[in-house]
Amino acid sequence: MLPYLRLSGSPYDQGIAQGTAWAERIAHNLELYFRRFEVECKLPPFEARSRGERYFAAIQQQNPAYAAGLEGIAAGSGQPLVDIATLNVRYEIVYYQFAQDTAPVYLAHEAPNGCTAFALMPAHSADGHLWLGQNWDWMEGVQGALQHITEPDGTRILAFTEAGIFGGKIGLNSHGLGLCINGLVSVGDNWAGLGKPFHLRTYEVLRQKALSQAKAVIIANPRTASGNFLLGQGGQAVDLEVSPMGIGIWEEERQLVHANHYLAPERFGIEVPPIEWLDRSHHRAERLGLRLGEVEKPGLEDLKAALSDRDGAPYAVCRTASPEEYALGEPYRTIVSVIMNLGTKELWISDGPPHENPYVRYQV
């Protein structure tokens, strides 16, 4: 089972609690990411910290509550605030490098090749509820955890996060609003634009009461980094492909499936740099869509089976590390698999690839 922590109180108090409880895991993730910044992204620690410091100043203006949460994590874990801030904008730092012509060969061929998400509409599910889910694929060594948060306004949130990243990135809340995510890259991504960072947007989404409010958070300007956000509530789901140049909006009658490529970037004025691994992303999306369509009205066990699909292994929907990755850099795998019933407000999560690790059930 993943570490599980209940949090409440002010953002600073929540940060203190997370930092104290997960101090060792946070130290581990900081070491992992700063090594990755330097070895794979060619960013020495002082440059990574400089970017984190600049971004923290922007976050203080964009969302003081989130900034207070980072201060709490730093105080609770005993880590420098600049390091915690850098960790919380690691998406902007790393994905910016992915999109560069000078990116290391390993990055250009592989990362961010992970994460396959879906939404299954109520009319096509076994129990008549809206379901969301995904496999979150990332570096094998990253340490995550599950948070059960009670906000001062009474909103309750179940969310997965990486230890040291505040607020949550995949999950649902007591208003029946759910969120899944995928990494994307496009021409124009630029961390130095200092738009609201990816993890601040997921933090804000999970605290909204209505789907329309969550959508507004995602599409708000300025957008200086690409990303995909799959949102659902009640009987509606929408997929938002975000880039600095435009926004792709997708809705379907039966199901939505998304991996790590834009579905039709030219339709929305989005330009994608040449990245060789995108064929693997297409394969995962096609396989998950196929598996969801095999059953007329899928239930929980069907969704588990779909996310456990190993076709094309190791680069499958259910991802495991390939032998070549151990020689080239940080191996990738499915870190967690998440399934959410937005009607009953239940969440199932696996600690590792679901074909060999059981799901554990939680409820908001």
Side-chain angles (χ1 to χ4, degrees), residues 79-97:
Q79 297 292 339
L81 176 58
V82 67
D83 286 9
I84 297 300
T86 304
L87 176 63
N88 276 260
V89 295
R90 63 92 178 148
Y91 183 97
E92 283 65 31
I93 293 173
V94 173
Y95 276 65
Y96 173 74
Q97 298 301 116

Side-chain angles (χ1 to χ4, degrees), residues 223-286:
R223 299 180 305 275
T224 55
S226 299
N228 189 73
F229 303 85
L230 178 56
L231 307 170
Q233 186 182 42
Q236 184 181 4
V238 60
D239 188 273
L240 302 172
E241 298 177 323
V242 172
S243 86
M245 293 175 286
I247 302 168
I249 301 177
W250 300 94
E251 296 182 78
E252 298 290 346
E253 180 181 339
R254 176 186 166 86
Q255 64 194 41
L256 287 161
V257 176
H258 209 285
N260 298 103
H261 60 276
Y262 287 94
L263 301 182
E266 64 286 347
R267 184 186 304 178
F268 304 102
I270 299 169
E271 184 180 352
V272 180
I275 303 175
E276 295 183 18
W277 51 256
L278 284 181
D279 59 336
R280 295 173 179 171
S281 177
H282 283 275
H283 173 77
R284 286 184 284 107
E286 291 167 2

Side-chain angles (χ1 to χ4, degrees), residues 11-77:
Y12 183 80
D13 289 341
Q14 293 179 29
I16 284 276
Q18 186 197 135
T20 302
W22 298 337
E24 291 185 6
R25 301 177 75 83
I26 292 168
H28 170 89
N29 282 350
L30 285 171
E31 180 182 359
L32 182 152
Y33 275 111
F34 274 96
R35 181 174 70 248
R36 187 175 195 207
F37 294 153
E38 187 164 23
V39 174
E40 295 184 29
C41 298
K42 309 305 181 187
L43 288 177
F46 76 87
E47 176 60 26
R49 289 188 173 97
S50 175
R51 297 183 183 188
E53 187 173 29
R54 286 181 59 185
Y55 235 123
F56 182 71
I59 290 170
Q60 287 178 302
Q61 300 300 315
Q62 295 162 352
N63 192 311
Y66 192 87
L70 302 191
E71 292 170 347
I73 291 175
S77 65

Side-chain angles (χ1 to χ4, degrees), residues 292-335:
L292 292 174
E294 287 177 343
V295 179
E296 183 179 357
K297 291 194 172 185
L300 175 62
E301 295 307 314
D302 302 306
L303 301 178
K304 289 180 179 180
L307 289 175
S308 300
D309 187 79
R310 293 285 291 156
D311 186 86
Y315 307 108
V317 170
C318 183
R319 178 81 154 83
T320 49
S322 66
E324 63 185 355
E325 289 178 311
Y326 286 102
L328 291 172
E330 196 74 44
Y332 282 64
R333 69 164 184 161
T334 295
I335 302 299

